[in-house]
Amino acid sequence: MAQATPALHPDIEAVLVTEEAIQRRVRELGAELKRTYGGAELTVISIMNGAILFTADLLRQLDNPVRLDCIRISSYGNATESQGTPKLVHSLTLDVTNRHVLLVDDILDTGKTLALVTGMIRGLQPASLRVCVLLDKKGRRQVPFEADFVGFAIPDKFVVGYGLDYAERYRNLTSIGVLKPERQKLST
Ligand code: IMP
Ligand code: MG
């Protein structure tokens, strides 16, 4: 995956997933979702802010009827390490009971966020609940969690771009890259 590509941004040490690779994989994920759900209506729940770009691209691969909702979880603050227990800051507005729910997140890291959110949604008794993540840092799990659909398995590096941030920056980069270690120490 890592390759010599023109510099994405001066704060990026290396590009891990190129824009082209992301777009190709998103199309494949759309096909995987189609195989799983057929033409059924989906209630897609996107975890803000990180999953917004991925969700927007993924939704355009689907021709199913789709309802979209967003939730917000706090866990990181401005650090690159998860701080304690994630909290639900902004909750669902759509009903999910008896619905086919697809939860979308940018990255599966310790597993704490998705364990919390899937537990909460399961309590609302959806018809089905599946999880789609763009990135999976498998080596970092603190609670057991597997996603149903995974874009890319990546090594334990702090990455930004295509929705992923450090201190709310870099979300608009079109590729995903490893943030230079010296940039990870800056406050806000
Ligand atoms: P978890 O609860 O530890 O699985 O963390 C999931 C959340 O942490 C993701 O939704 C991201 O917001 C954030 N996160 C984890 N790793 C990274 C990273 O490498 N870059 C940016 N955000 C990350
Ligand atoms: Mg996030």
Side-chain angles (χ1 to χ4, degrees):
M1 272 192 298
Q3 52 187 256
T5 331
L8 178 64
H9 185 287
D11 298 348
I12 299 302
E13 171 177 274
V15 172
L16 198 60
V17 192
T18 63
E19 181 176 359
E20 293 70 30
I22 294 169
Q23 296 309 332
R24 196 180 324 121
R25 188 70 188 117
V26 168
R27 282 195 294 276
E28 289 171 5
L29 286 171
E32 284 181 37
L33 292 169
K34 191 79 203 167
R35 281 197 292 278
T36 301
Y37 290 104
E41 182 181 82
L42 297 183
T43 298
V44 173
I45 300 174
S46 179
I47 304 184
M48 293 190 286
N49 293 327
I52 284 182
L53 279 75
F54 176 44
T55 305
D57 285 343
L58 194 61
L59 284 186
R60 282 177 283 192
Q61 297 301 318
L62 299 174
D63 51 13
N64 307 45
V66 168
R67 302 154 84 228
L68 174 65
D69 204 351
C70 295
I71 57 172
R72 186 186 289 277
I73 308 289
S74 75
S75 59
Y76 268 75
N78 287 340
T80 55
E81 285 293 318
S82 190
Q83 291 164 340
T85 314
K87 290 182 188 62
L88 194 62
V89 208
H90 189 296
S91 195
L92 289 171
T93 54
L94 291 182
D95 62 290
V96 297
T97 307
N98 295 325
R99 306 287 186 167
H100 294 293
V101 174
L102 179 66
L103 184 61
V104 181
D105 204 1
D106 51 359
I107 185 165
L108 176 50
D109 185 29
T110 64
K112 288 182 189 173
T113 303
L114 285 168
L116 171 85
V117 176
T118 53
M120 185 270 287
I121 294 172
R122 233 175 243 118
L124 300 169
Q125 297 180 309
S128 66
L129 173 59
R130 292 187 178 87
V131 174
C132 178
V133 294
L134 178 66
L135 305 175
D136 186 357
K137 279 190 204 168
K138 282 196 183 295
R140 294 252 314 159
R141 224 60 106 241
Q142 288 176 23
V143 297
F145 195 94
E146 290 299 325
D148 301 279
F149 308 94
V150 175
F152 301 92
I154 63 161
D156 178 12
K157 305 255 187 201
F158 194 81
V159 293
V160 295
Y162 194 65
L164 292 121
D165 73 305
Y166 171 66
E168 293 304 323
R169 311 277 158 60
Y170 313 107
R171 292 195 197 274
N172 55 322
L173 303 185
T174 53
S175 302
I176 294 167
V178 179
L179 191 61
K180 286 182 181 166
E182 63 266 31
R183 303 302 300 180
Q184 298 183 19
K185 296 186 189 78
L186 304 180
S187 56
T188 59

